[in-house]
PDB file of all heavy atoms in Angstrom:
ATOM      1  N   SER A  15      58.939 126.258  58.315  1.00  0.00           N
ATOM      2  CA  SER A  15      60.168 126.951  58.295  1.00  0.00           C
ATOM      3  C   SER A  15      61.153 126.207  57.269  1.00  0.00           C
ATOM      4  O   SER A  15      61.110 125.008  57.185  1.00  0.00           O
ATOM      5  CB  SER A  15      60.825 127.070  59.698  1.00  0.00           C
ATOM      6  OG  SER A  15      62.126 127.473  59.612  1.00  0.00           O
ATOM      7  N   ILE A  16      61.996 126.984  56.652  1.00  0.00           N
ATOM      8  CA  ILE A  16      63.020 126.397  55.813  1.00  0.00           C
ATOM      9  C   ILE A  16      64.144 125.904  56.691  1.00  0.00           C
ATOM     10  O   ILE A  16      64.769 124.900  56.357  1.00  0.00           O
ATOM     11  CB  ILE A  16      63.483 127.402  54.822  1.00  0.00           C
ATOM     12  CG1 ILE A  16      62.322 127.831  53.887  1.00  0.00           C
ATOM     13  CG2 ILE A  16      64.631 126.900  53.918  1.00  0.00           C
ATOM     14  CD1 ILE A  16      62.717 128.955  52.940  1.00  0.00           C
ATOM     15  N   ASN A  17      64.398 126.642  57.736  1.00  0.00           N
ATOM     16  CA  ASN A  17      65.604 126.183  58.617  1.00  0.00           C
ATOM     17  C   ASN A  17      65.326 126.731  60.053  1.00  0.00           C
ATOM     18  O   ASN A  17      65.311 127.906  60.234  1.00  0.00           O
ATOM     19  CB  ASN A  17      66.857 126.694  58.044  1.00  0.00           C
ATOM     20  CG  ASN A  17      68.073 126.251  58.927  1.00  0.00           C
ATOM     21  OD1 ASN A  17      67.951 125.378  59.828  1.00  0.00           O
ATOM     22  ND2 ASN A  17      69.291 126.756  58.554  1.00  0.00           N
ATOM     23  N   VAL A  18      65.165 125.830  60.925  1.00  0.00           N
ATOM     24  CA  VAL A  18      64.924 126.307  62.370  1.00  0.00           C
ATOM     25  C   VAL A  18      66.267 126.250  63.128  1.00  0.00           C
ATOM     26  O   VAL A  18      66.213 126.524  64.342  1.00  0.00           O
ATOM     27  CB  VAL A  18      63.862 125.392  63.064  1.00  0.00           C
ATOM     28  CG1 VAL A  18      62.558 125.486  62.445  1.00  0.00           C
ATOM     29  CG2 VAL A  18      64.294 123.966  63.177  1.00  0.00           C
ATOM     30  N   GLY A  19      67.236 125.778  62.593  1.00  0.00           N
ATOM     31  CA  GLY A  19      68.611 125.662  63.249  1.00  0.00           C
ATOM     32  C   GLY A  19      69.071 124.179  63.398  1.00  0.00           C
ATOM     33  O   GLY A  19      68.349 123.277  62.982  1.00  0.00           O
ATOM     34  N   GLU A  20      70.158 124.022  64.024  1.00  0.00           N
ATOM     35  CA  GLU A  20      70.792 122.769  64.189  1.00  0.00           C
ATOM     36  C   GLU A  20      70.276 122.105  65.421  1.00  0.00           C
ATOM     37  O   GLU A  20      70.082 122.781  66.507  1.00  0.00           O
ATOM     38  CB  GLU A  20      72.261 122.822  64.209  1.00  0.00           C
ATOM     39  CG  GLU A  20      72.848 123.188  62.872  1.00  0.00           C
ATOM     40  CD  GLU A  20      72.536 122.286  61.713  1.00  0.00           C
ATOM     41  OE1 GLU A  20      72.594 121.078  61.885  1.00  0.00           O
ATOM     42  OE2 GLU A  20      72.147 122.844  60.648  1.00  0.00           O
ATOM     43  N   VAL A  21      70.077 120.773  65.413  1.00  0.00           N
ATOM     44  CA  VAL A  21      69.550 120.017  66.671  1.00  0.00           C
ATOM     45  C   VAL A  21      70.702 120.200  67.793  1.00  0.00           C
ATOM     46  O   VAL A  21      71.875 119.996  67.549  1.00  0.00           O
ATOM     47  CB  VAL A  21      69.359 118.527  66.348  1.00  0.00           C
ATOM     48  CG1 VAL A  21      69.069 117.851  67.555  1.00  0.00           C
ATOM     49  CG2 VAL A  21      68.281 118.427  65.261  1.00  0.00           C
ATOM     50  N   ASN A  22      70.170 120.545  68.982  1.00  0.00           N
ATOM     51  CA  ASN A  22      71.090 120.700  70.106  1.00  0.00           C
ATOM     52  C   ASN A  22      70.506 120.097  71.386  1.00  0.00           C
ATOM     53  O   ASN A  22      70.975 120.298  72.453  1.00  0.00           O
ATOM     54  CB  ASN A  22      71.400 122.153  70.369  1.00  0.00           C
ATOM     55  CG  ASN A  22      70.207 123.058  70.649  1.00  0.00           C
ATOM     56  OD1 ASN A  22      69.089 122.545  70.945  1.00  0.00           O
ATOM     57  ND2 ASN A  22      70.378 124.320  70.460  1.00  0.00           N
ATOM     58  N   THR A  23      69.355 119.367  71.270  1.00  0.00           N
ATOM     59  CA  THR A  23      68.839 118.695  72.445  1.00  0.00           C
ATOM     60  C   THR A  23      68.005 117.531  71.984  1.00  0.00           C
ATOM     61  O   THR A  23      67.821 117.325  70.796  1.00  0.00           O
ATOM     62  CB  THR A  23      67.942 119.712  73.328  1.00  0.00           C
ATOM     63  OG1 THR A  23      67.603 119.146  74.588  1.00  0.00           O
ATOM     64  CG2 THR A  23      66.710 120.154  72.589  1.00  0.00           C
ATOM     65  N   THR A  24      67.390 116.831  72.955  1.00  0.00           N
ATOM     66  CA  THR A  24      66.496 115.672  72.681  1.00  0.00           C
ATOM     67  C   THR A  24      65.158 115.828  73.367  1.00  0.00           C
ATOM     68  O   THR A  24      65.024 116.708  74.282  1.00  0.00           O
ATOM     69  CB  THR A  24      67.215 114.364  73.139  1.00  0.00           C
ATOM     70  OG1 THR A  24      67.223 114.378  74.565  1.00  0.00           O
ATOM     71  CG2 THR A  24      68.548 114.201  72.540  1.00  0.00           C
ATOM     72  N   ILE A  25      64.162 115.016  73.024  1.00  0.00           N
ATOM     73  CA  ILE A  25      62.939 115.006  73.680  1.00  0.00           C
ATOM     74  C   ILE A  25      63.116 114.660  75.142  1.00  0.00           C
ATOM     75  O   ILE A  25      62.449 115.294  75.985  1.00  0.00           O
ATOM     76  CB  ILE A  25      61.976 113.993  72.973  1.00  0.00           C
ATOM     77  CG1 ILE A  25      61.551 114.520  71.589  1.00  0.00           C
ATOM     78  CG2 ILE A  25      60.699 113.845  73.848  1.00  0.00           C
ATOM     79  CD1 ILE A  25      60.653 113.618  70.722  1.00  0.00           C
ATOM     80  N   ALA A  26      64.011 113.685  75.396  1.00  0.00           N
ATOM     81  CA  ALA A  26      64.282 113.260  76.760  1.00  0.00           C
ATOM     82  C   ALA A  26      64.809 114.461  77.668  1.00  0.00           C
ATOM     83  O   ALA A  26      64.331 114.720  78.814  1.00  0.00           O
ATOM     84  CB  ALA A  26      65.229 112.148  76.881  1.00  0.00           C
ATOM     85  N   GLU A  27      65.675 115.265  77.082  1.00  0.00           N
ATOM     86  CA  GLU A  27      66.224 116.353  77.847  1.00  0.00           C
ATOM     87  C   GLU A  27      65.169 117.473  78.015  1.00  0.00           C
ATOM     88  O   GLU A  27      65.125 118.133  79.075  1.00  0.00           O
ATOM     89  CB  GLU A  27      67.491 116.918  77.045  1.00  0.00           C
ATOM     90  CG  GLU A  27      68.649 115.943  77.105  1.00  0.00           C
ATOM     91  CD  GLU A  27      69.738 116.341  76.154  1.00  0.00           C
ATOM     92  OE1 GLU A  27      69.466 117.277  75.313  1.00  0.00           O
ATOM     93  OE2 GLU A  27      70.909 115.817  76.302  1.00  0.00           O
ATOM     94  N   VAL A  28      64.375 117.705  76.997  1.00  0.00           N
ATOM     95  CA  VAL A  28      63.298 118.818  77.054  1.00  0.00           C
ATOM     96  C   VAL A  28      62.283 118.347  78.178  1.00  0.00           C
ATOM     97  O   VAL A  28      61.958 119.172  79.071  1.00  0.00           O
ATOM     98  CB  VAL A  28      62.524 118.873  75.715  1.00  0.00           C
ATOM     99  CG1 VAL A  28      61.321 119.717  75.910  1.00  0.00           C
ATOM    100  CG2 VAL A  28      63.485 119.486  74.653  1.00  0.00           C
ATOM    101  N   LYS A  29      61.895 117.064  78.235  1.00  0.00           N
ATOM    102  CA  LYS A  29      60.978 116.649  79.229  1.00  0.00           C
ATOM    103  C   LYS A  29      61.598 116.711  80.690  1.00  0.00           C
ATOM    104  O   LYS A  29      60.832 117.143  81.593  1.00  0.00           O
ATOM    105  CB  LYS A  29      60.506 115.226  78.888  1.00  0.00           C
ATOM    106  CG  LYS A  29      59.597 115.167  77.698  1.00  0.00           C
ATOM    107  CD  LYS A  29      59.301 113.716  77.267  1.00  0.00           C
ATOM    108  CE  LYS A  29      58.449 112.982  78.173  1.00  0.00           C
ATOM    109  NZ  LYS A  29      58.056 111.641  77.635  1.00  0.00           N
ATOM    110  N   ALA A  30      62.867 116.292  80.741  1.00  0.00           N
ATOM    111  CA  ALA A  30      63.509 116.386  82.031  1.00  0.00           C
ATOM    112  C   ALA A  30      63.573 117.867  82.616  1.00  0.00           C
ATOM    113  O   ALA A  30      63.468 118.072  83.752  1.00  0.00           O
ATOM    114  CB  ALA A  30      64.858 115.809  81.981  1.00  0.00           C
ATOM    115  N   ARG A  31      63.728 118.770  81.691  1.00  0.00           N
ATOM    116  CA  ARG A  31      63.930 120.190  82.054  1.00  0.00           C
ATOM    117  C   ARG A  31      62.604 120.863  82.469  1.00  0.00           C
ATOM    118  O   ARG A  31      62.487 121.607  83.416  1.00  0.00           O
ATOM    119  CB  ARG A  31      64.553 120.958  80.969  1.00  0.00           C
ATOM    120  CG  ARG A  31      64.827 122.419  81.252  1.00  0.00           C
ATOM    121  CD  ARG A  31      65.745 122.992  80.191  1.00  0.00           C
ATOM    122  NE  ARG A  31      65.974 124.413  80.404  1.00  0.00           N
ATOM    123  CZ  ARG A  31      66.778 125.175  79.609  1.00  0.00           C
ATOM    124  NH1 ARG A  31      67.496 124.608  78.631  1.00  0.00           N
ATOM    125  NH2 ARG A  31      66.969 126.440  79.916  1.00  0.00           N
ATOM    126  N   TYR A  32      61.552 120.560  81.660  1.00  0.00           N
ATOM    127  CA  TYR A  32      60.280 121.248  81.754  1.00  0.00           C
ATOM    128  C   TYR A  32      59.065 120.492  82.321  1.00  0.00           C
ATOM    129  O   TYR A  32      58.088 121.126  82.668  1.00  0.00           O
ATOM    130  CB  TYR A  32      59.915 121.817  80.407  1.00  0.00           C
ATOM    131  CG  TYR A  32      60.808 122.863  79.881  1.00  0.00           C
ATOM    132  CD1 TYR A  32      61.768 122.591  78.967  1.00  0.00           C
ATOM    133  CD2 TYR A  32      60.936 124.171  80.435  1.00  0.00           C
ATOM    134  CE1 TYR A  32      62.641 123.542  78.378  1.00  0.00           C
ATOM    135  CE2 TYR A  32      61.751 125.133  79.912  1.00  0.00           C
ATOM    136  CZ  TYR A  32      62.601 124.847  78.935  1.00  0.00           C
ATOM    137  OH  TYR A  32      63.580 125.677  78.420  1.00  0.00           O
ATOM    138  N   CYS A  33      59.223 119.112  82.349  1.00  0.00           N
ATOM    139  CA  CYS A  33      58.009 118.271  82.613  1.00  0.00           C
ATOM    140  C   CYS A  33      58.148 117.474  83.876  1.00  0.00           C
ATOM    141  O   CYS A  33      57.226 116.862  84.281  1.00  0.00           O
ATOM    142  CB  CYS A  33      57.732 117.442  81.426  1.00  0.00           C
ATOM    143  SG  CYS A  33      57.466 118.282  79.859  1.00  0.00           S
ATOM    144  N   ALA A  34      59.318 117.366  84.411  1.00  0.00           N
ATOM    145  CA  ALA A  34      59.551 116.564  85.625  1.00  0.00           C
ATOM    146  C   ALA A  34      58.876 117.057  86.861  1.00  0.00           C
ATOM    147  O   ALA A  34      58.435 116.312  87.667  1.00  0.00           O
ATOM    148  CB  ALA A  34      61.074 116.405  85.861  1.00  0.00           C
ATOM    149  N   SER A  35      58.828 118.392  86.899  1.00  0.00           N
ATOM    150  CA  SER A  35      58.185 119.086  88.103  1.00  0.00           C
ATOM    151  C   SER A  35      57.809 120.425  87.678  1.00  0.00           C
ATOM    152  O   SER A  35      58.282 120.981  86.752  1.00  0.00           O
ATOM    153  CB  SER A  35      59.119 119.043  89.376  1.00  0.00           C
ATOM    154  OG  SER A  35      60.120 120.029  89.210  1.00  0.00           O
ATOM    155  N   ASN A  36      57.031 121.103  88.576  1.00  0.00           N
ATOM    156  CA  ASN A  36      56.619 122.454  88.310  1.00  0.00           C
ATOM    157  C   ASN A  36      57.467 123.513  88.928  1.00  0.00           C
ATOM    158  O   ASN A  36      57.180 124.696  88.979  1.00  0.00           O
ATOM    159  CB  ASN A  36      55.165 122.678  88.790  1.00  0.00           C
ATOM    160  CG  ASN A  36      54.976 122.379  90.228  1.00  0.00           C
ATOM    161  OD1 ASN A  36      55.993 122.247  91.009  1.00  0.00           O
ATOM    162  ND2 ASN A  36      53.732 122.346  90.703  1.00  0.00           N
ATOM    163  N   SER A  37      58.612 122.979  89.511  1.00  0.00           N
ATOM    164  CA  SER A  37      59.646 123.991  90.014  1.00  0.00           C
ATOM    165  C   SER A  37      60.137 124.885  89.010  1.00  0.00           C
ATOM    166  O   SER A  37      60.703 124.475  88.021  1.00  0.00           O
ATOM    167  CB  SER A  37      60.692 123.168  90.726  1.00  0.00           C
ATOM    168  OG  SER A  37      61.725 124.035  91.256  1.00  0.00           O
ATOM    169  N   GLY A  38      60.028 126.177  89.273  1.00  0.00           N
ATOM    170  CA  GLY A  38      60.413 127.184  88.326  1.00  0.00           C
ATOM    171  C   GLY A  38      59.585 127.449  87.086  1.00  0.00           C
ATOM    172  O   GLY A  38      59.928 128.202  86.152  1.00  0.00           O
ATOM    173  N   ALA A  39      58.437 126.823  86.991  1.00  0.00           N
ATOM    174  CA  ALA A  39      57.422 126.981  85.908  1.00  0.00           C
ATOM    175  C   ALA A  39      56.929 128.415  85.923  1.00  0.00           C
ATOM    176  O   ALA A  39      56.750 129.012  86.967  1.00  0.00           O
ATOM    177  CB  ALA A  39      56.311 126.032  86.074  1.00  0.00           C
ATOM    178  N   ASP A  40      56.707 128.849  84.702  1.00  0.00           N
ATOM    179  CA  ASP A  40      56.114 130.260  84.684  1.00  0.00           C
ATOM    180  C   ASP A  40      54.706 130.272  85.207  1.00  0.00           C
ATOM    181  O   ASP A  40      54.353 131.324  85.776  1.00  0.00           O
ATOM    182  CB  ASP A  40      56.034 130.635  83.186  1.00  0.00           C
ATOM    183  CG  ASP A  40      57.470 130.976  82.600  1.00  0.00           C
ATOM    184  OD1 ASP A  40      58.367 131.069  83.405  1.00  0.00           O
ATOM    185  OD2 ASP A  40      57.601 131.094  81.299  1.00  0.00           O
TER     186      ASP A  40
END
């Protein structure tokens, strides 16, 4: 991509939201 947008999160935040537990997982 030429531009995916501006950074608004971190790897740590992504992992805390989606990888800490399976609660709410699809």
Side-chain angles (χ1 to χ4, degrees):
S15 173
I16 297 175
N17 184 8
V18 297
E20 296 300 316
V21 173
N22 58 17
T23 190
T24 67
I25 293 176
E27 291 170 345
V28 169
K29 290 171 68 172
R31 181 170 176 177
Y32 295 104
C33 306
S35 75
N36 59 11
S37 176
D40 287 350

